[in-house]
Amino acid sequence: MKSIKGNLAEIASLSEAKRSLSVPKDGTWFRKFLAFAGPGYMIAVGYMDPGNWATDIAGGSKFGYTLLSVILVSNLMAILLQALSGKLGIATGKDLAQMCRDAYSRPVAVGLWFLCEIAIAAMDLAEVIGSAIALKLLFGLPLLYGVIITAFDVMLILLLQNKGFRALETLVIVLMATIAGCFGINLILGQPSWSGVFGGFVPDSQILTNPSMLYIAIGIMGATVMPHNLYLHSSIVQTRKFEQTSAGKREAIKFATWDSSIALMFALCINAAILIVAAAVFHSAGRTDVAEISDAYYLLSPLLGTTLASILFGVALLASGQNSTVTGTLAGQIVMEGFLNLRLSPWLRRLVTRLIAIIPAVIVTAIAGEKGAEELLVLSQVILSIQLPFAIIPLLLFTSDPKHMGEFANKMWQKVLTWIVTAIIIVLNVILIIQTISG
């Protein structure tokens, strides 16, 4: 690793938003916390995107509430790694992509950029297919048309970008609240066994001994940390105008960690709600074979006796897909600017990313139909899994090095804990990839 040197020609990623939101110098703890609240919810989107729904539905329908403990453990791992990402951005004033570009040779940096672009395209692909499935379920729109229509949501993002970063954060929070509201109502309609729910959060040894249960558990945990989120979070925490002193950075790290941790616990509740609804409605009715999003939609209404359940499910899915649009746009901009120090017009950057996702989705949908599209959704999660180590390992190296982090470098216990978590995630992702390919 070469030493990081200043680059006078360097322009900050998301330069139009960097340090654009004021933080009160004096005021209550709560006022300061509110000033920092927002970025955490934008990264929490990646933990409830359409790519995660299938594993939650399959886990709940087949094994009831047992795999809730896997969702909990996965979320705790995500909280730890996202806290490091936020700390990196605040302590160094650079995002993870910029750090990689400055610290590694040009070929290595370009290689990491290429891998990250593939991961973002895969995430965008999941969002395209998820939104298209939601449009089909809600309005009967052919899947192929839905895939094509999703290309135009770029206009919404460009409009909101012109209104400031708070507008994007507000949209994300509103859509997350919509998802939570929809599943909250379905939880009431589903009447789950709350003793079973609370018991499900306690780890069960059969998760490791039952091969089919382990397979789904690995699927849930393997897709826990989205690689693009580590780049995204390290950049958007810098939208806050905090004091550039040791005390100011320490306070910013504290509030940013609270923000991301609370937001990710909110994401935990939504992911758990998806599994709980599947367990309460499908597993209790003996329908342990439900594993796809469209199957869940069509079965909710007859099993619960109301069409409202399916409508709410479809609305939540559409909101989930659109939320991913916002974070995908920002992540794409951040990694291109950070790794290459290259600026493209926002509309052009978004169009390129969108086309990379839409072209394979259109081809597969046209040839293989809905079944092929849902299989493509699974493939997108495998691609994300492959890219994950190339984002986590640099993050841990940088945040553990006092040369870059100064007094904010990871303590020994943090190093040990984060490397253990990283090793677990990487091993599970490797197993997931092998299982998916061989299956």
Side-chain angles (χ1 to χ4, degrees):
M1 182 184 297
K2 67 182 182 181
S3 61
I4 292 181
K5 299 177 181 179
N7 185 352
L8 297 178
E10 180 178 50
I11 305 173
S13 295
L14 294 181
S15 56
E16 68 278 8
K18 187 167 185 177
R19 297 179 60 77
S20 61
L21 299 175
S22 298
V23 175
K25 296 181 180 179
D26 300 310
T28 63
W29 181 94
F30 188 65
R31 278 192 63 199
K32 290 186 177 183
F33 169 73
L34 288 180
F36 278 97
Y41 294 89
M42 301 192 78
I43 59 101
V45 167
Y47 297 89
M48 62 182 78
D49 71 340
N52 290 333
W53 283 43
T55 52
D56 291 338
I57 291 170
S61 66
K62 194 165 187 177
F63 302 112
Y65 307 109
T66 306
L67 294 180
L68 283 171
S69 60
V70 177
I71 293 179
L72 174 61
V73 172
S74 301
N75 207 77
L76 294 175
M77 291 180 176
I79 286 173
L80 175 63
L81 292 174
Q82 292 297 162
L84 294 185
S85 176
K87 182 170 75 169
L88 176 73
I90 292 169
T92 65
K94 295 177 181 286
D95 59 59
L96 180 58
Q98 290 173 316
M99 293 289 289
C100 289
R101 188 194 69 218
D102 289 345
Y104 300 128
S105 67
R106 177 74 174 175
V108 171
V110 171
L112 290 173
W113 165 76
F114 181 72
L115 289 171
C116 193
E117 288 287 1
I118 292 175
I120 291 172
M123 184 209 67
D124 213 28
L125 178 62
E127 180 256 301
V128 166
I129 295 175
S131 295
I133 291 173
L135 291 172
K136 177 181 182 295
L137 298 176
L138 289 171
F139 307 110
L141 197 67
L143 200 63
L144 182 59
Y145 295 165
V147 167
I148 296 172
I149 285 174
T150 57
F152 296 100
D153 62 16
V154 62
M155 303 306 297
L156 172 65
I157 303 306
L158 293 175
L159 176 64
L160 288 172
Q161 280 182 324
N162 292 332
K163 293 185 176 296
F165 202 78
R166 266 298 190 195
L168 290 175
E169 292 178 345
T170 301
L171 173 66
V172 164
I173 293 173
V174 168
L175 289 173
M176 285 183 67
T178 301
I179 299 169
C182 290
F183 273 103
I185 295 174
N186 273 343
L187 276 177
I188 295 172
L189 294 173
Q191 299 181 339
S193 164
W194 290 108
S195 61
V197 169
F198 292 118
F201 283 108
V202 179
D204 192 320
S205 60
Q206 66 175 319
I207 295 175
L208 298 176
T209 58
N210 184 330
S212 58
M213 189 180 291
L214 179 62
Y215 178 80
I216 297 178
I218 290 173
I220 292 173
M221 189 173 287
T224 298
V225 182
M226 298 287 101
H228 71 279
N229 265 345
L230 302 178
Y231 295 98
L232 177 66
H233 197 196
S234 61
S235 178
I236 60 178
V237 291
Q238 299 178 55
T239 57
R240 271 50 182 179
K241 192 176 182 180
F242 52 86
E243 292 290 318
Q244 295 297 299
T245 61
S246 176
K249 289 181 178 180
R250 188 171 298 281
E251 182 179 63
I253 291 170
K254 177 181 69 175
F255 285 123
T257 302
W258 273 104
D259 173 48
S260 61
S261 299
I262 292 172
L264 286 172
M265 290 305 294
F266 189 59
L268 164 67
C269 292
I270 292 177
N271 274 328
I274 297 172
L275 189 144
I276 292 169
V277 168
V281 179
F282 306 136
H283 185 77
S284 62
R287 292 302 307 264
T288 60
D289 58 331
V290 180
E292 295 184 353
I293 293 173
S294 55
D295 292 339
Y297 174 87
Y298 289 121
L299 287 169
L300 274 173
S301 290
L303 289 175
L304 288 177
T306 173
T307 57
L308 178 63
S310 291
I311 292 172
L312 291 171
F313 182 89
V315 170
L317 178 60
L318 185 60
S320 175
Q322 292 308 298
N323 240 351
S324 299
T325 296
V326 178
T327 56
T329 300
L330 292 177
Q333 181 179 345
I334 288 164
V335 299
M336 177 170 283
E337 293 177 350
F339 277 113
L340 305 181
N341 204 23
L342 176 66
R343 300 297 185 268
L344 291 179
S345 298
W347 68 268
L348 180 59
R349 178 68 189 81
R350 183 59 181 160
L351 182 62
V352 170
T353 303
R354 198 45 132 191
L355 286 176
I356 292 173
I358 283 179
I359 290 173
V362 168
I363 294 173
V364 171
T365 304
I367 296 174
E370 185 174 324
K371 182 69 175 178
E374 295 213 11
E375 288 176 355
L376 199 59
L377 191 64
V378 175
L379 177 61
S380 71
Q381 300 307 296
V382 176
I383 294 172
L384 288 170
S385 299
I386 294 172
Q387 205 279 330
L388 189 58
F390 300 100
I392 294 184
I393 292 175
L395 174 67
L396 297 191
L397 291 174
F398 290 136
T399 54
S400 297
D401 192 344
K403 182 172 60 178
H404 305 315
M405 299 290 292
E407 63 184 287
F408 303 108
N410 296 336
K411 305 294 189 294
M412 180 55 67
W413 69 267
Q414 292 174 313
K415 293 178 185 179
V416 172
L417 180 60
T418 51
W419 278 109
I420 290 174
V421 168
T422 300
I424 293 172
I425 292 174
I426 291 174
V427 168
L428 290 177
N429 273 279
V430 170
I431 296 174
L432 174 63
I433 293 165
I434 293 173
Q435 288 179 331
T436 303
I437 293 174
S438 61

